[in-house]
Amino acid sequence: QVQLVESGGGLVQPGESLKLSCVASGETLEYYAIAWFRQAPGKEREGVSCLGVYDRFTFYADSVKGRFTISRDNAENTVYLQMNSLKPEDTAVYYCAAAVFSRGMCVIDVLDPYDYWGQGTQVTVAS
């Protein structure tokens, strides 16, 4: 069992940055694909980014490409999401998730493969 706890959310102005963290316990994240999803009020949860095992594959949603960066620190058993040039449309609750995929893959277009989820952290971008 993997327990995930997100942190780092907050209220920022458009154009500013935030770095989200997701700390894992119970098992090492080294052998899991990890992903960040987000859910805005009244909308479905959507994939933001994912990182495969050994960082073999990385995917980003078109809406965040060039602005967000996903990374992991295996020594700290932590996943990060660096978010730059934030926009009001990035406002959402952000969740990290973990799953086992073959061949170092990961996906962000479906939620079902992800077995483990954090409780979420709120990101609000407003002037």
Side-chain angles (χ1 to χ4, degrees):
Q1 290 283 341
V2 178
Q3 292 81 43
L4 302 172
V5 178
E6 303 96 334
S7 62
L11 171 63
V12 296
Q13 295 188 343
E16 293 185 338
S17 299
L18 276 177
K19 186 173 185 177
L20 305 183
S21 300
C22 174
V23 179
S25 60
E27 292 188 31
T28 176
L29 280 183
E30 184 175 2
Y31 305 113
Y32 286 82
I34 53 173
W36 287 94
F37 291 81
R38 67 186 181 185
Q39 188 165 18
K43 295 187 176 181
E44 293 186 353
R45 195 169 298 189
E46 63 175 4
V48 175
S49 180
C50 69
L51 188 59
V53 173
Y54 306 124
D55 300 353
R56 191 167 294 171
F57 290 97
T58 307
F59 293 106
Y60 293 93
D62 288 343
S63 58
V64 307
K65 276 180 184 176
R67 299 188 298 123
F68 290 11
T69 303
I70 190 172
S71 62
R72 71 167 89 209
D73 184 334
N74 290 332
E76 297 294 327
N77 219 25
T78 301
V79 175
Y80 302 100
L81 185 69
Q82 176 68 46
M83 306 186 295
N84 299 328
S85 302
L86 283 161
K87 304 175 181 181
E89 50 264 44
D90 295 318
T91 296
V93 177
Y94 283 72
Y95 300 89
C96 66
V100 175
F101 284 94
S102 62
R103 301 180 183 179
M105 284 292 297
C106 65
V107 296
I108 57 172
D109 55 343
V110 289
L111 281 63
D112 286 349
Y114 290 90
D115 300 310
Y116 305 105
W117 292 82
Q119 83 292 346
T121 185
Q122 176 71 47
V123 172
T124 303
V125 185
S127 54

